[in-house]
Amino acid sequence: MTSSSVLDLAPVVPVVVLEDADDAVPLARALVAGGLRAIEVTLRTAAALDAIEAIAAEVPDAVVGAGTVISARNVSDTVAAGARFLVSPGWTDTLLDAMRASGLPFLPGVSTTSEVVALLERGVTEMKFFPAEAAGGTAYLKALSAPLPRARFCPTGGISLASAPSYLSLPNVGCVGGSWMLPGDAVAARDWSRVERLAAGAAALRG
């Protein structure tokens, strides 16, 4: 699987923050049932690595990735847990080298034109645009498409069900990242049927 195929798995990649690893499998099953196979589990909690490992082992139809990857240690830990792609909020040469050496598809984070050009120089054409809304949103990405046509993005950060179609209509956007299909009250109540319904609505989005 290539980085490009991660962008093409679904129009929306759920950005998952889990406090309890026991919720990982039922949550992932609900997302997959709703049509969202690519799932980004962020390394923001102590449960994240266990959650990635559980999804990788027990939800074969999911393509589980690790988000908030910010160090070489994060890369090695998530690879060991079974992650199938990596996402970072930003990048350095050291982090980029570690992600590339992992052999997994990866989406390094960018928010400026210079960062995009620097990645293109290194042969990276698929990137995360973060924080999307704060960094200029659809207007910024549209402005990048003409001078930098090789760059392709997964915008993440502040995107909602209402704004996602505007991003997905852009020629340089493969998918968006978001968490609106994972409302806190539904996850807290373990209302996986609601999560599945919201995932289905996200999966139906097209540019």
Side-chain angles (χ1 to χ4, degrees), residues 104-184:
L104 296 180
F106 59 91
L107 299 173
V110 297
S111 61
T112 69
T113 306
S114 294
E115 291 170 324
V116 176
V117 172
L119 284 176
L120 291 173
E121 283 185 349
R122 291 159 174 79
V124 178
T125 58
E126 284 87 27
M127 310 167 195
K128 172 180 179 174
F129 180 59
F130 177 83
E133 287 288 280
T138 55
Y140 193 95
L141 286 172
K142 185 176 181 179
L144 292 182
S145 63
L148 301 171
R150 290 193 298 131
R152 196 159 176 249
F153 301 96
C154 174
T156 305
I159 297 175
S160 66
L161 176 62
S163 63
S166 296
Y167 283 94
L168 292 168
S169 70
L170 298 175
N172 55 351
V173 170
C175 64
V176 300
S179 57
W180 72 83
M181 74 297 300
L182 298 165

Side-chain angles (χ1 to χ4, degrees), residues 11-186:
V12 178
V13 176
V15 179
V16 177
V17 181
L18 280 172
E19 300 291 344
D20 187 344
D22 288 342
D23 291 334
V25 168
L27 183 147
R29 286 175 175 158
L31 292 171
V32 170
L36 301 181
R37 293 181 56 221
I39 301 170
E40 176 189 337
V41 178
T42 67
L43 302 182
R44 302 180 194 175
T45 68
L49 289 174
D50 288 340
I52 291 170
E53 187 171 8
I55 294 170
E58 299 183 46
V59 191
D61 290 334
V63 180
V64 63
T68 322
V69 173
I70 59 172
S71 69
R73 175 64 182 271
N74 286 162
V75 172
S76 59
D77 285 348
T78 53
V79 170
R84 295 173 62 186
F85 65 93
L86 307 171
V87 183
S88 69
W91 65 277
T92 64
D93 288 331
T94 299
L95 179 57
L96 190 67
D97 289 345
M99 291 194 293
R100 197 190 298 273
S102 74
L104 296 180
F106 59 91
L107 299 173
V110 297
S111 61
T112 69
T113 306
S114 294
E115 291 170 324
V116 176
V117 172
L119 284 176
L120 291 173
E121 283 185 349
R122 291 159 174 79
V124 178
T125 58
E126 284 87 27
M127 310 167 195
K128 172 180 179 174
F129 180 59
F130 177 83
E133 287 288 280
T138 55
Y140 193 95
L141 286 172
K142 185 176 181 179
L144 292 182
S145 63
L148 301 171
R150 290 193 298 131
R152 196 159 176 249
F153 301 96
C154 174
T156 305
I159 297 175
S160 66
L161 176 62
S163 63
S166 296
Y167 283 94
L168 292 168
S169 70
L170 298 175
N172 55 351
V173 170
C175 64
V176 300
S179 57
W180 72 83
M181 74 297 300
L182 298 165
D185 57 341

